[in-house]
Amino acid sequence: QKATEDTRIEDVVSHFLGVREFRRNLKCPFHEDRTPSLKVYTKNNRFVCFGCGVRGSPIDFVMQYKNYNFKEAVEFIDNL
């Protein structure tokens, strides 16, 4: 439940990107990005990149970033 409902997308993104002061627009870690194309939507707990098209929930971000399957991503988030 923590991984699916209680985990905030901004916490996951900040963890991986080393962002100290969270911003909604960031450079996407999934492709070469000259200008910020990754947008984080805290109200619906989702992210989307308008450059490469990757999108989803905190679990999707972990799966994409770490190349994990769903179970591995949930376990990772549970240990954050």
Side-chain angles (χ1 to χ4, degrees):
Q1 180 180 355
K2 177 182 184 273
T4 57
E5 296 174 10
D6 299 337
T7 302
R8 300 179 331 163
I9 188 65
E10 59 266 32
D11 294 338
V12 172
V13 171
S14 295
H15 172 80
F16 284 111
L17 301 185
V19 176
R20 293 175 192 240
E21 189 174 314
F22 182 76
R23 296 180 313 252
R24 187 178 147 189
N25 299 318
L26 300 162
K27 288 188 177 181
C28 181
F30 306 117
H31 74 281
E32 189 68 35
D33 203 4
R34 292 187 196 145
T35 60
S37 62
L38 182 77
K39 294 201 185 278
V40 178
Y41 299 98
T42 57
K43 287 186 180 180
N44 65 0
N45 211 31
R46 311 286 287 177
F47 74 95
V48 62
C49 176
F50 291 98
C52 67
V54 68
R55 63 183 62 226
S57 68
I59 292 173
D60 296 315
F61 192 92
V62 173
M63 288 172 61
Q64 190 77 9
Y65 194 90
K66 299 285 282 179
N67 197 27
Y68 281 173
N69 63 36
F70 180 81
K71 183 180 177 187
E72 291 169 325
V74 169
E75 289 172 357
F76 182 89
I77 286 175
D78 281 342
N79 293 315
L80 270 181

